Amino acid sequence: MPPRNPPGNPPLDPRGAIIRSVALRMARRLADRPELVSALTSVVQMVENDETELAMDDIGLLIQYSRFSVLRSEYEDLVRAAEQLDSLDSLTDTGVERFVVDG
């Protein structure tokens, strides 16, 4: 089931919904790192403000800079969204794959 749309906002496009879902899952998983939660919340807000491409770039840069582990399921969802956006370079140029872990 896709994530609920924020109240009062138009429906998210499917790519944005994927990125929003991944960012929210990461924020919950990384709750003990407030600086990452804040950055991931910014990614969610970008999606909600119809800045999906920027959110895709930002989450890739955030992972690269912060070097936190990315669950395989999160990575696969990000790849799917990036393919739909024709923006795989957001993940490949930042080397996100090297932070992927099973779990």
Side-chain angles (χ1 to χ4, degrees):
M1 180 163 103
R4 282 191 51 227
N5 190 47
N9 289 348
L12 296 176
D13 72 75
R15 304 163 303 187
I18 293 169
I19 297 167
R20 181 177 184 273
S21 172
V22 171
L24 290 171
R25 285 184 285 168
M26 288 176 165
R28 280 191 299 273
R29 186 170 55 82
L30 300 166
D32 61 333
R33 297 181 63 185
E35 71 284 355
L36 291 179
V37 172
S38 177
L40 289 163
T41 300
S42 293
V43 170
V44 170
Q45 291 170 345
M46 285 178 212
V47 170
E48 291 173 353
N49 289 316
D50 200 26
E51 298 173 335
T52 304
E53 291 85 2
L54 184 58
M56 183 81 248
D57 291 340
D58 203 53
I59 200 166
L61 290 169
L62 175 61
I63 294 165
Q64 176 191 30
Y65 176 76
S66 301
R67 300 179 170 270
F68 62 86
S69 297
V70 178
L71 299 179
R72 184 155 311 279
S73 61
E74 295 166 343
Y75 178 71
E76 289 169 355
D77 287 346
L78 288 175
V79 167
R80 189 173 68 227
E83 287 173 342
Q84 293 174 12
L85 287 165
D86 195 25
S87 185
L88 269 174
D89 59 333
S90 295
L91 301 177
T92 57
D93 289 357
T94 54
V96 169
E97 187 171 343
R98 65 192 154 146
F99 302 108
V100 175
V101 296
D102 289 322

